Amino acid sequence: MPHKQPEDAIFREFLVAVLLHNEAVADRLGLQPVDVAAAILLETRGPMTAGALSEELGLPSASTTRLIDRLEKAGYVRRVRGERDRRMVTVQLVEGGLDDYEAACESSRRHLATLGAHYTREQAPLLLDMLARVGEAHRAATRELRGKPA
């Protein structure tokens, strides 16, 4: 059944492309797609508790523990106990932890650089703002789907 608006199909194709790319990167790294998402969150947001990762990824705590175990075993992250409260444990990327990820994303960077040639420097902030807002909108929609406050 065709979509009523052509932009619906374009956006859905975009989502599929991003999801499939994340799966391909995860396959290349021997990880699960959600593991890659967790590593990216740790890179962009810095160290996080297992609870914060669990909340952000929408995983039960046991699944988050297994995810952290996989990333730790693969050499991407480490668990760090708090200096003041030894019960507090954060998860952080190890130095060079995303080097394999960066290498796996080389082809996408190359294709995106080619795409970037179609836009001016003045347009770049608008495009980045749109991507940030798309991310925020999807996070809000995800919270709604999971029955959490927006």
Side-chain angles (χ1 to χ4, degrees):
M1 179 172 170
H3 302 289
K4 295 178 182 170
Q5 303 294 324
E7 57 270 15
D8 289 344
I10 292 168
F11 189 70
R12 288 177 180 171
E13 288 286 340
F14 165 76
L15 290 177
V16 168
V18 170
L19 289 169
L20 291 176
H21 180 265
N22 188 52
E23 285 186 24
V25 168
D27 287 347
R28 172 70 58 94
L29 301 176
L31 298 172
Q32 300 296 316
V34 71
D35 300 348
V36 173
I40 292 169
L41 285 174
L42 291 167
E43 177 195 33
T44 59
R45 299 184 187 176
M48 299 174 75
T49 64
L53 267 175
S54 178
E55 180 71 25
E56 187 64 35
L57 297 170
L59 296 174
S61 60
S63 297
T64 303
T65 298
R66 287 191 299 275
L67 176 150
I68 295 166
D69 290 345
R70 285 191 302 272
L71 289 174
E72 192 171 42
K73 182 179 178 184
Y76 292 98
V77 303
R78 65 184 176 143
R79 289 174 168 98
V80 178
R81 292 206 175 272
E83 290 184 19
R84 291 187 182 155
D85 183 351
R86 303 289 293 157
R87 296 171 297 174
M88 175 63 97
V89 176
T90 57
V91 181
Q92 61 183 228
L93 284 175
V94 299
E95 184 71 30
L98 285 183
D99 289 352
D100 289 346
Y101 170 80
E102 295 298 337
C105 291
E106 179 55 36
S107 63
S108 65
R109 272 194 296 287
R110 188 177 66 255
H111 289 285
L112 290 172
T114 302
L115 169 72
H118 295 281
Y119 300 96
T120 66
R121 285 190 185 275
E122 294 78 20
Q123 291 172 311
L126 176 64
L127 294 170
L128 291 173
D129 179 66
M130 186 197 74
L131 289 173
R133 291 173 188 265
V134 167
E136 290 169 10
H138 274 272
R139 282 187 193 88
T142 300
R143 286 189 295 273
E144 286 178 23
L145 286 169
R146 292 182 174 149
K148 309 257 176 163

